Amino acid sequence: MAKTDFGPPDYRTMIPPVIAKNYGKWSYHEIPQPGVLKHVGESGDILYSVRIASARLISTDWIKELCDIADKYCGGYIRFTTRHNVEFLVSDENQLQPLLDDLKARGYLVGGTGNAISNVVHTQGWIHCHTPATDASGLVKAMMDELHGYFTTMKMPARVRLAVACCVNMCGACHCSDIAIVGIHRTIPRINHEGVAKACEVPSVIAACPTGAIRPNPKLKSVEVNKEKCMFCGNCYTMCPSMEIADPVNDGVSIWVGGKVSNARTAPKFSRLAIPFLPNNPPRWPEVTDAVKHLVEVYAANARAGERMGEWIDRVGWERFFKLTGIPFTEKHIDDFTFSPTTFRSTSQFRL
Amino acid sequence: MAKTDFGPPDYRTMIPPVIAKNYGKWSYHEIPQPGVLKHVGESGDILYSVRIASARLISTDWIKELCDIADKYCGGYIRFTTRHNVEFLVSDENQLQPLLDDLKARGYLVGGTGNAISNVVHTQGWIHCHTPATDASGLVKAMMDELHGYFTTMKMPARVRLAVACCVNMCGACHCSDIAIVGIHRTIPRINHEGVAKACEVPSVIAACPTGAIRPNPKLKSVEVNKEKCMFCGNCYTMCPSMEIADPVNDGVSIWVGGKVSNARTAPKFSRLAIPFLPNNPPRWPEVTDAVKHLVEVYAANARAGERMGEWIDRVGWERFFKLTGIPFTEKHIDDFTFSPTTFRSTSQFRL
Amino acid sequence: MTDSKTPRLDELEKGAWPSFVTEIKKAAAKKANSQDLLDQLELSYKDKIGYWKHGGIVGVKGYGGGVIGRYSAKADQFPNVKEFHTLRVNMVPGFFYTTEALRGLCETWDKFGSGLTNMHGSTGDLVLLGTTTENLQPCFDELAEKGWDLGGSGGGLRTPSGCVGMARCEFACIDSMDFIQEVTRHFQDAIHRPAWPYKFKIKCSGCANDCAAATARSDFAVIGTWCDTLKIDQNAVREYVKGGFNIDALVVGKCPTKALEYDSAKQELKFDAENCVRCMNCIDMMPKAIKTGKDRGAAILIGGKAPVVKSAFIGWVLVPFMKVDAPYAEIFDLITRITEYFDEHAKSRERIGELIYRVGMGNFLKGVGLTPQPQMVSAPRANPYIFWQDEEVVKHG
Amino acid sequence: MTDSKTPRLDELEKGAWPSFVTEIKKAAAKKANSQDLLDQLELSYKDKIGYWKHGGIVGVKGYGGGVIGRYSAKADQFPNVKEFHTLRVNMVPGFFYTTEALRGLCETWDKFGSGLTNMHGSTGDLVLLGTTTENLQPCFDELAEKGWDLGGSGGGLRTPSGCVGMARCEFACIDSMDFIQEVTRHFQDAIHRPAWPYKFKIKCSGCANDCAAATARSDFAVIGTWCDTLKIDQNAVREYVKGGFNIDALVVGKCPTKALEYDSAKQELKFDAENCVRCMNCIDMMPKAIKTGKDRGAAILIGGKAPVVKSAFIGWVLVPFMKVDAPYAEIFDLITRITEYFDEHAKSRERIGELIYRVGMGNFLKGVGLTPQPQMVSAPRANPYIFWQDEEVVKHG
Ligand code: SRM
Ligand code: SRM
Ligand code: SRM
Ligand code: SRM
Ligand code: SF4
Ligand code: SF4
Ligand code: SF4
Ligand code: SF4
Ligand code: SF4
Ligand code: SF4
Ligand code: SF4
Ligand code: SF4
């Protein structure tokens, strides 16, 4: 029997000496250039962290390459960020420039700090999940090829956080991101009654439906879907493989904006619907990348310094957002789920 | 057969000449003293409106007295306000002071303008309704006896709107008032099964319950109330007289604060729970009048000029409101109805 | 004092505020039913409970509404309020009265009723408080003779009401009184013969100050506003400032969208028209210096109501801006479409706001022929539960 | 080029951003399953649909979680991904690694799996992407030998994760890495043998910047903060201002409660401690001049989650302030009470936020032994639907 329940490796064995020494005693930081953080300890010690972009879906080969670099410049220590970037931890200032040169030579993108577009939190999609309405890795790659210039610089009004989820389960940060891309279905599940009867627990399937669109079909020991009430979330399919919902022709992508996670200045915010649907056009999803680029550019042109996307929109109003972006406002933008009345405008205050 | 469907009297036959002449052509107004509005027309014409408090529940005798006064000083015209006050419309400046003197002599209260506590929008209560949990007129009288000094002056930070409703139907403005007093029940309806069977439409009764607490009792052709789910709203009683809910011992009064109606500066706001329960102590409800007075005074002492009660609370935070007023915060203050999650605090931003 | 039959209510004759008890006593001096009302009320004050029963259906010929039936639960003790119905008399729009009209009303009410009234009910009606079933018809007949019609009750249109507006207010962007008068006349049938699933209220305020509490208290709120820009008289601004008025604290600092800035060097109030949301505050504070725009109309908000059953709602923007000029054809047409939709789709005792919540705003808009606009929401949806229609997707497979 | 079997995916090797396709190809050069993954993915790109089936229950001995079973729907075409399960390996708290540790991991994964990983999954795990049922156990055995344990999946505690905190951040008010490590160890059983109605996530950020996205993405969010006041070094403030930093636009104007004011005459940043809501912005903007308070702990927020079923929630304040110091007895006790309540009361697939919504916050607080506090709400209830308990009312009649 193997060892079990010993927990994660002890972080104390994984941190470089400069961190062990200055742990909890850092004094301040600066960002001397995009992708480079300079942390200064109360002791006067200095740590440079050099951040590079990662595809997140990576090979052991690449990890080993990273290790080689870390051995050379960082005493054999490396870390990843909560957004899947890689950080090289440089305690010897003399190693900083050589490292940067080396990374450049390898074509790595150094950036993601400060007022940049950092890496995209994303999910499995067609790589590994059973419920996707789109792919995630491909969307990220296509988008970031367009936007990498904002990763390697810090010229946004504030940080911009992108996220991609391949279905409305939103594994990741989509519900609170500056810009989120979410795969959606648009047609109702196709019920294989035999399959349901054989393998699915009917009450759980019924309970899984957010809008109560599923009723039992006792005759077939199966279920029926009320077309009027189904909004294609796919949650029933998660519970029951015999309710397939993926539809290559009608699945696609929706775009959400203005969310944030931090409590800095304003409370965390939900991302809200900007574009209800764009087609799945792999491998490069040109409609999606164009739309995201456009959103980023309208934001950059209009927001004030230090203003996150959602903070900008709150200042100018959603009515101005739709005007400035040229995105049509439709009935789909108006909430019709449980808390909808709290999103309706209860004042005559608005811009015409 | 009587005349029918001729509609309200034509307002054109009811307005004084100065209004007919300056209709839609007023230029500006001033409030030369509490209770006196001075409207100046583009024509240069001047109209004084002198506002007095009314009990709202009034006798024809008093109306006739008002008519006498209006005949004497106002050419036979009079109006009422949307908050039940009476306005004497003086187009002859020379009549203003004599009118004010006369009103004073009669003991009438002149006021309710500008940053005052105006009249209390209220309801029927024990006077005429079948669903009250308290009386309305009595509460208003008891409160305003304490607060009339704020009616006849303009020393509040902003206008303060009070409302009283004798049950949660809130006939009136309670749900959007600076301070609202609402009668509440606290025990479940007492079902007279025979009566239900005879006179009540069971499906409508069930549908009337906001929390789904009522289920049919087919045996008795009646209903049952699930004690756990009933929150004593009395809506079932409205539908069915055989579900009496009034309870002399446990009925009482709740106090709500921070609502507003206007769109000036901030959007309209709901009133929110301050004090879940105070006993029904007629004829003078001392606990209620004390509490309202206290709320008014804490507000007056802390709000900035031009700040409505709810605007003040929004600026300092509810946590500060409860601290400043000394009102205990309980689980009853936390919403548990449909939109409750939207009232939970979704940020680490708060005062400790 | 000690032998007063109403020691509790007597307490409410003390104090500075006008006393409703005194009013009841005045009526009681002339009317037995008002005396019984007083005595029953005293009992309520003693027992801490109301003594009125559910109303039965009573009314006047040809009408289904306008009367609230009321019966005493203590008719044995207080026989004169055995029946004690109220008549909701349609007030004059704007609550203006000649003394002649009021005296006529009093005369009739002294004849047939209790001599007690509410001036006014919180919907706006002139409430005649207490008469018998028998007296309803003759009372109404005489009222009608004098030009008083009934207001609303039950599942229909309720008596529309509005602010004083152009009659006495420089802020009025629409003629709220005239509109209320005309809308009442136009939809009278729906008031007098209530046939909808539940009540429906229309209120109108001449500007965003909303002195009629329309947004909070009516299903269909008409709020006057403008679609050009407000007008600033810089000289008049200077006068205010010279007079010691704290323009920064009371105007600039309170503008919800920071559309104003006072340049104290230039002594000029700078205004960012694009960001003005027409909240009225700067105009309220400086009525001599700032005026509403000239191209005027109204915003329509739908769904305002009290808590029963689904929660209180403050009205939601339905039409960001529309003209509201006599003869009001466009807005009457809108009301017709909405009330027809309401009549057809609402469940019994479901307000329009609750109906919209249930069917979804998008479906409602389609149903009444309106286009979605961003002004309707404070923010777009946050959940991904979007409906797609057959015609929007490709049929295949 | 033209005879590439993956013309679509090849397109994703172009461009500046690191290519996951290149990564798959690297692995494919060594591993048949990665080659089949590549080819199946190409087919998905062609057909615009995913080709993975629902996972069956697979795992390693003694554990109920940590493995996501996955089977190809095109196993006939791509036999090497017929089974393609992922292992969720518990990352190092803070995502720090020695190259030695990583190399050891790669070695094992090259031996038993696809040679592909996610560094990291969005919960935080080190995701080993794709192996067979047969290889799961030996792979885990070897991982365990090297000190790698599994993370969470299914209805239990998910791998806790946090920000870098004290290891490299001057803002950290609590030791997020250490807390995450200890909470993972303390509640390992709930991770490895999931037995709750649904997933439960714990995340920790050292301050309100929330770099771990804890509030939005975890059921139980621990957010470092302080309960005394922040510290301002006025000299350092002056340095910023001298350097051209726009203190009014970026700091004073952005303070959510207007607790800051810059007196440019005195060159002093005035601070209204009572109104600071510890949002971090002024500290973020001027890290050399403003520091967090010294009496530190955390706010706990409950219920954060994605949209399924009842809507996405951003965590709600549950404990406004508590100390979070090793050995963490108080907070572990709180987590125990909450997860026990969750286990007992939640329906299948009901997150704690949804459970609280269903039973009501008041009942939940009672259930877990916490006291209501105004910090828990952005505003008190607006509806009058208040529950009263038997013991609060008088029995009579
Ligand atoms: C490394 C990392 C923590 C980790 O444990 O991995 C991190 C590190 C730092 N964060 Fe962060 N944040 C990290 C993810 C986040 C996240 C989470 C996310 O993006 O998913 C957030 C919440 C984002 C959101 O609101 O949607 C986040 C919100 C912040 C903020 C507040 C941002 C704002 O709204 O103003 C600050 C303050 C600042 O930068 O001024 C901050 C500040 C910082 C500082 C300056 C803290 C410090 O003194 O060391 C660090 C460098 C920031 C930079 O890159 O410019 N960090 N930070 C994460 C890097 C992710 C990446 O690769 O890009
Ligand atoms: C008389 C009046 C109170 C007053 O003293 O002023 C009143 C009295 C009653 N209201 Fe009301 N409502 C009155 C204005 C209102 C208002 C205010 C308004 O119209 O601006 C509201 C809040 C706004 C709204 O409509 O939502 C109001 C919200 C209710 C409700 C709750 C409706 C809801 O959707 O939440 C009920 C309950 C019901 O309909 O079952 C209700 C029901 C009642 C009933 C009919 C009681 C019942 O359940 O049958 C009361 C009859 C009392 C009686 O015996 O005379 N009354 N009621 C007001 C009408 C007088 C008039 O015509 O001018
Ligand atoms: C007479 C009346 C209209 C009517 O048709 O009867 C009226 C008349 C005026 N209102 Fe009003 N309001 C009247 C009820 C209201 C209401 C409704 C209510 O109280 O139920 C509101 C909404 C209150 C709320 O938000 O809860 C209301 C909110 C305002 C406001 C905005 C207040 C604010 O939030 O800042 C103004 C603007 C101002 O005063 O600066 C306003 C301004 C005015 C002006 C100055 C308009 C004008 O230029 O003539 C009038 C004199 C105000 C005063 O008394 O100081 N009036 N006003 C109502 C008098 C009621 C009373 O007897 O007290
Ligand atoms: C692998 C991962 C995405 C990724 O590529 O990073 C993932 C993948 C899946 N998630 Fe997730 N979730 C992952 C992080 C998340 C997160 C983010 C987080 O934890 O910070 C969320 C949002 C936060 C939350 O928990 O609410 C998330 C919200 C969901 C949901 C919706 C839950 C909800 O209450 O709304 C589901 C649906 C479900 O449980 O049925 C779900 C379900 C799934 C399933 C198990 C699909 C399913 O229905 O059974 C996916 C398996 C994919 C596969 O084949 O590998 N996953 N999932 C993440 C876990 C890796 C790791 O352990 O590090
Ligand atoms: S977002 Fe949906 S499709 Fe993507 S990994 Fe999560 S559950 Fe799977
Ligand atoms: S797809 Fe979603 S809405 Fe449609 S039936 Fe399934 S669970 Fe219900
Ligand atoms: S608030 Fe309730 S008790 Fe009072 S009049 Fe309205 S319905 Fe009757
Ligand atoms: S009082 Fe209200 S909550 Fe209780 S059973 Fe009646 S309708 Fe339902
Ligand atoms: S709502 Fe506007 S127009 Fe009407 S009375 Fe009030 S301030 Fe004047
Ligand atoms: S009307 Fe309101 S929004 Fe417009 S400028 Fe004046 S204060 Fe600002
Ligand atoms: S959450 Fe705070 S403590 Fe943690 S890394 Fe971010 S800024 Fe530093
Ligand atoms: S931490 Fe935030 S709330 Fe506190 S003073 Fe700084 S900016 Fe203001």
Side-chain angles (χ1 to χ4, degrees), chain A residues 39 51 81-83 85 114 118 161 262 308, chain D residues 164 170 211:
Chain A
H39 282 85
R51 187 178 294 169
T81 72
T82 59
R83 296 191 77 85
N85 287 315
S118 187
R161 300 311 207 200
S262 81
R308 293 284 295 268
Chain D
V164 66
E170 72 271 30
C211 298

Side-chain angles (χ1 to χ4, degrees), chain D residues 46-76:
Chain D
K46 175 169 165 284
D47 295 350
K48 302 187 192 177
I49 196 161
Y51 283 123
W52 298 105
K53 293 200 289 190
H54 264 64
I57 295 159
V58 286
V60 301
K61 264 181 270 168
Y63 282 27
V67 179
I68 304 293
R70 192 61 74 221
Y71 302 87
S72 172
K74 297 274 173 196
D76 42 347

Side-chain angles (χ1 to χ4, degrees), chain B residues 227 247 332 338 350-351, chain D residues 275 278 357 390 392 396:
Chain B
K227 212 166 159 290
D247 172 342
K332 300 193 165 46
T338 316
F350 47 80
R351 289 150 181 101
Chain D
N275 277 313
R278 297 155 287 113
Y357 177 33
D390 278 349
E392 295 175 304
H396 68 104

Side-chain angles (χ1 to χ4, degrees), chain A residues 56-274:
Chain A
R56 192 184 83 125
L57 171 47
I58 56 182
S59 63
T60 49
D61 282 10
W62 195 61
I63 299 174
K64 284 181 256 174
E65 192 176 327
L66 297 178
C67 288
D68 292 342
I69 300 170
D71 282 343
K72 191 153 171 200
Y73 304 99
C74 312
Y77 294 94
I78 197 165
R79 92 172 278 266
F80 294 77
T81 72
T82 59
R83 296 191 77 85
H84 318 308
N85 287 315
V86 180
E87 286 179 344
F88 294 103
L89 307 164
V90 183
S91 48
D92 175 359
E93 190 157 3
N94 298 321
Q95 299 286 11
L96 179 62
Q97 198 52 50
L99 168 65
L100 289 168
D101 295 341
D102 193 347
L103 294 174
K104 195 174 178 189
R106 291 170 194 266
Y108 290 1
L109 296 177
V110 173
T113 56
N115 295 343
I117 299 185
S118 187
N119 210 336
V120 183
V121 169
H122 66 278
T123 48
Q124 295 299 332
W126 294 334
I127 297 283
H128 200 265
C129 198
H130 63 293
T131 69
T134 189
D135 188 40
S137 312
L139 270 164
V140 170
K141 166 71 177 150
M143 279 193 326
M144 290 310 290
D145 278 346
E146 292 293 322
L147 297 173
H148 71 274
Y150 298 117
F151 179 87
T152 53
T153 58
M154 306 197 293
K155 53 190 188 191
M156 286 284 114
R159 44 163 64 48
V160 180
R161 300 311 207 200
L162 270 52
V164 171
C166 20
C167 85
V168 303
N169 284 345
M170 295 197 192
C171 299
C174 283
H175 62 296
C176 294
S177 293
D178 294 280
I179 305 181
I181 290 89
V182 177
I184 56 162
H185 306 288
R186 298 189 302 154
T187 47
I188 63 166
R190 304 174 297 279
I191 306 176
N192 169 348
H193 289 296
E194 249 171 78
V196 177
K198 207 161 49 188
C200 301
E201 213 194 317
V202 167
S204 310
V205 174
I206 291 175
C209 181
T211 50
I214 306 177
R215 52 171 184 267
N217 179 333
K219 241 196 211 152
L220 299 177
K221 293 191 175 157
S222 176
V223 296
E224 297 296 343
V225 170
N226 178 345
K227 213 167 158 289
E228 302 300 305
K229 282 183 154 186
C230 173
M231 43 66 193
F232 326 108
C233 68
N235 206 27
C236 51
Y237 174 64
T238 294
M239 295 309 293
C240 173
S242 297
M243 298 184 71
E244 274 188 56
I245 191 162
D247 172 342
V249 180
N250 290 306
D251 288 352
V253 158
S254 57
I255 299 186
W256 307 72
V257 300
K260 78 189 270 279
V261 161
S262 81
N263 294 282
R265 299 173 306 283
T266 53
K269 294 179 203 297
F270 287 119
S271 319
R272 295 182 176 276
L273 184 63

Side-chain angles (χ1 to χ4, degrees), chain C residues 166 172-183 202-206 220-227 295-301 319-332 334-335:
Chain C
M166 291 194 169
C173 296
I174 52 174
D175 191 345
S176 49
M177 270 166 55
D178 192 63
F179 169 72
I180 287 302
Q181 177 147 312
E182 295 308 319
V183 84
I202 297 176
K203 284 187 168 71
C204 175
S205 284
F220 186 94
V222 184
I223 307 291
T225 187
W226 58 93
C227 67
D295 193 355
R296 294 165 180 170
I300 311 294
L301 290 90
V319 180
F321 186 82
M322 75 187 295
K323 286 288 185 182
V324 178
D325 297 321
Y328 310 111
E330 198 192 343
I331 188 165
F332 287 174
L334 178 65
I335 295 171

